[in-house]
Amino acid sequence: MCHSAGLALDLSASLDSPRVAGHVHEFHQRLAPYARETPVIAFERRMREALG
């Protein structure tokens, strides 16, 4: 799932779409129970880089 969300981040960066960014943020909130897992940490880093 984090891989697919990473692809959405790439899409969001190229489209500059607030709607896609909102979906990515919603997905990020759903990851909260898994915050210490390596894929989630990597996704959060990519999200901060892509969306600020």
Side-chain angles (χ1 to χ4, degrees):
M1 292 193 84
C2 287
H3 176 72
S4 296
L7 296 174
L9 279 174
D10 295 340
L11 177 63
S12 177
S14 67
L15 294 177
D16 193 28
S17 169
R19 188 172 185 188
V20 173
H23 289 301
V24 170
H25 281 291
E26 180 183 335
F27 177 71
H28 177 250
Q29 290 173 342
R30 293 178 185 220
L31 293 176
Y34 312 101
R36 295 184 183 263
E37 300 294 329
T38 302
V40 175
I41 293 168
F43 172 75
E44 289 177 343
R45 184 178 46 234
R46 283 186 68 194
M47 188 178 85
R48 280 190 220 106
E49 291 171 359
L51 303 178

